[in-house]
Amino acid sequence: MESYRTGYSFKKLSVNQSGIALISAILIALFALLALAGLYFALTKLFGSSQTIKTYASIRDAAAGGVHYGIATKVFEMYSKALNGDVIAGACDSIQLKFKLENTSGTFDNDIQVCYGGRGAFKTGFGKERVIGSGSGGGVFAYWLWFTIISEAKGPQDTRSRIEAVYAR
């Protein structure tokens, strides 16, 4: 009976650890794929190549969204150029966006034009309140820069909506 007990020592009854290598390799591959997917997502967002086409309820909403997009992109780009003197008054830049409408099929165009209008000086006696907006322009500049944004959205059956806006900063 003793001879049978020596065959089952603690070393032989311990868990075989060769199966844990497969699980750890799968986990490492999963984390590597997750890191690559995150890197891809970050780069496509950074370069704007994965821009989604927005869906609006009406053509008017699409035109208003075009004005907001023009302010968020081109106005701030042209603003820094205007402060450095790299752009002259009357210079324009165009953007073309695609959009969708709810309950319709297909994509439609929104043409946006952003123009730098020039500098406007603050009038004496009126304080430094901006013409547009509610800010109190207490900055270092004695003038403000203004831009015009024209957004024209074209929808189905040749319907159109045009919004003209002025942005001062």
Side-chain angles (χ1 to χ4, degrees), residues 13-89:
L13 291 176
S14 65
V15 178
N16 188 0
Q17 295 198 2
S18 62
I20 198 77
L22 176 63
I23 294 171
S24 64
I26 291 172
L27 283 176
I28 290 171
L30 182 68
F31 285 128
L33 285 175
L34 188 64
L36 285 175
L39 182 64
Y40 172 76
F41 180 74
L43 287 177
T44 54
K45 283 292 183 187
L46 177 69
F47 294 122
S49 61
S50 69
Q51 181 180 5
T52 58
I53 297 175
K54 289 193 170 200
T55 303
Y56 294 99
S58 68
I59 300 171
R60 186 78 170 166
D61 291 341
V67 169
H68 291 288
Y69 184 81
I71 291 171
T73 57
K74 290 296 177 184
V75 166
F76 288 112
E77 178 183 316
M78 292 175 85
Y79 181 79
S80 61
K81 288 180 181 178
L83 287 178
N84 295 333
D86 296 337
V87 66
I88 59 170

Side-chain angles (χ1 to χ4, degrees), residues 60-166:
R60 186 78 170 166
D61 291 341
V67 169
H68 291 288
Y69 184 81
I71 291 171
T73 57
K74 290 296 177 184
V75 166
F76 288 112
E77 178 183 316
M78 292 175 85
Y79 181 79
S80 61
K81 288 180 181 178
L83 287 178
N84 295 333
D86 296 337
V87 66
I88 59 170
C92 296
D93 209 352
S94 297
I95 308 167
Q96 187 174 26
L97 293 178
K98 298 274 187 193
F99 69 94
K100 292 182 181 180
L101 289 175
E102 290 180 356
N103 303 323
T104 60
S105 61
T107 59
F108 306 101
D109 293 326
N110 187 0
D111 296 321
I112 305 159
Q113 186 175 16
V114 179
C115 297
Y116 170 59
R119 299 174 187 224
F122 290 109
K123 294 182 178 179
T124 58
F126 291 101
K128 290 188 175 182
E129 188 171 338
R130 287 176 169 74
V131 174
I132 297 174
S134 60
S136 64
V140 295
F141 298 110
Y143 56 86
W144 42 267
L145 307 178
W146 62 277
F147 302 85
T148 59
I149 302 105
I150 300 170
S151 174
E152 187 169 357
K154 299 168 195 134
Q157 300 171 351
D158 204 29
T159 55
R160 296 172 185 255
S161 180
R162 180 181 172 115
I163 294 181
E164 299 178 7
V166 177

